[in-house]
Amino acid sequence: MIIKRSKEMERKILDKIKAHLNRAPRSLDKWHVSDLLYPRKSYWQRKDPQPMTDLQALYFTAGRAHHGILEACLGKWEKPKGDRADAGEFEKLGIYYSPDLRMPYPWEIKTSRSEYEPKDLEKGFSGYLKQLHKYQACMEDDKGGLLVFFLGLKKGFRKVPALHFYQVQLTKKEREAETANIKKIVGSLNTAVKTGKHDKLELCPAWMCKDCPWIEKCKPWLQDPKRKPTREDDE
């Protein structure tokens, strides 16, 4: 028996994956909820789009596979009459939004590679909640659901997959504040694209600068000197 890795075949597979993921690009006439999570990144994606990397393609493949199975299974629960339980795409507050599920309140499904559930859920799931809260604001629903699929939680000496569901309840005041925040971010993004000036947009989390293709154009160190690339970063 001969077993030999074929990088040539891997290249063909990855190219097919990218072609599949890029087959239906998002509409650009309005911003999407995901664009509001990291406005500065969204600005550069709109102004200077970059081809999908191999790593991004693999992350998308893993995430979409898990999402697809969960949405197919769970979308049958309490399906709103005349609507799609798998959400679909809707328009509100000048943006497009598409929660993973509507049960009938918005659910967000996330895949996590973390080995531990965060002790501080609000802090540990801050990125997930930022997106869910925007769906809650768009749907005018104080109630939300966060379904996290952990790929390998530590359990003794083993790592096992696990599904954790979290009820997320906003106060009316918190939801209204999120609505105002959406309008503010949309206004800032529109102004930035129109003027070509991004410096007023909120910085992305520092870890995102590490592999950012726009870092030399973005110059985040003008606002946060610690983000200046070092020679070690280039090696």
Side-chain angles (χ1 to χ4, degrees):
M1 178 187 295
I2 298 175
I3 301 177
K4 183 180 179 181
R5 179 181 176 184
S6 173
K7 292 188 176 182
E8 180 181 355
M9 181 56 68
E10 291 171 3
R11 181 71 268 154
K12 290 180 179 179
I13 293 170
L14 278 167
D15 288 343
K16 283 186 173 292
I17 290 173
K18 289 181 181 180
H20 178 78
L21 292 173
N22 287 321
R23 73 191 188 286
R26 295 193 310 176
S27 53
L28 298 178
D29 59 311
K30 287 183 175 62
W31 300 101
H32 296 247
V33 159
S34 57
D35 293 323
L36 310 188
L37 305 181
Y38 307 113
R40 191 170 288 215
K41 176 183 176 182
S42 300
Y43 167 85
W44 286 112
Q45 286 177 323
R46 184 71 63 91
K47 295 289 286 186
D48 183 26
Q50 297 292 313
M52 184 183 297
T53 65
D54 290 350
L55 187 59
Q56 288 172 332
L58 293 174
Y59 280 140
F60 283 140
T61 299
R64 289 194 180 186
H66 300 140
H67 272 64
I69 292 174
L70 292 170
E71 288 176 7
C73 296
L74 303 178
K76 298 176 183 178
W77 291 5
E78 301 179 21
K79 186 172 182 179
K81 294 181 179 178
D83 289 319
R84 292 169 46 180
D86 64 345
E89 188 172 75
F90 304 89
E91 184 181 345
K92 190 75 173 287
L93 303 175
I95 63 171
Y96 290 124
Y97 71 98
S98 52
D100 290 326
L101 293 169
R102 296 194 299 162
M103 307 295 280
Y105 56 93
W107 281 28
E108 179 63 15
I109 300 172
K110 292 297 184 183
T111 300
S112 173
R113 297 187 300 279
S114 175
E115 295 181 352
Y116 303 94
E117 178 184 53
K119 293 182 179 179
D120 184 334
L121 296 179
E122 187 171 348
K123 182 178 179 180
F125 291 147
S126 60
Y128 301 167
L129 294 171
K130 185 185 292 189
Q131 187 168 358
L132 177 60
H133 291 340
K134 288 173 174 53
Y135 293 138
Q136 289 172 273
C138 288
M139 293 177 63
E140 299 181 19
D141 201 324
D142 296 336
K143 191 176 181 181
L146 176 63
L147 180 61
V148 181
F149 180 30
F150 291 95
L151 298 179
L153 278 184
K154 274 280 191 179
K155 189 175 182 179
F157 296 103
R158 298 186 302 158
K159 289 196 292 185
V160 297
L163 274 176
H164 288 196
F165 180 76
Y166 306 89
Q167 293 276 7
V168 180
Q169 186 74 35
L170 293 177
T171 64
K172 183 180 179 181
K173 185 176 181 179
E174 288 172 329
R175 177 169 55 80
E176 290 175 343
E178 187 60 54
T179 298
N181 185 45
I182 288 174
K183 294 177 180 178
K184 179 181 177 181
I185 297 173
V186 170
S188 297
L189 277 168
N190 288 337
T191 298
V193 170
K194 184 177 181 180
T195 63
K197 297 180 179 179
H198 65 279
D199 55 299
K200 300 298 182 183
L201 295 173
E202 179 185 352
L203 286 174
C204 299
W207 61 267
M208 293 179 67
C209 291
K210 179 69 175 178
D211 299 311
C212 177
W214 303 287
I215 190 166
E216 292 298 333
K217 294 181 179 180
C218 181
K219 295 180 172 58
W221 54 85
L222 295 179
Q223 290 162 278
D224 181 2
K226 294 180 180 179
R227 302 198 188 200
K228 181 74 173 179
T230 63
R231 187 170 295 179
E232 291 181 358
D233 293 330
D234 297 330
E235 294 177 355

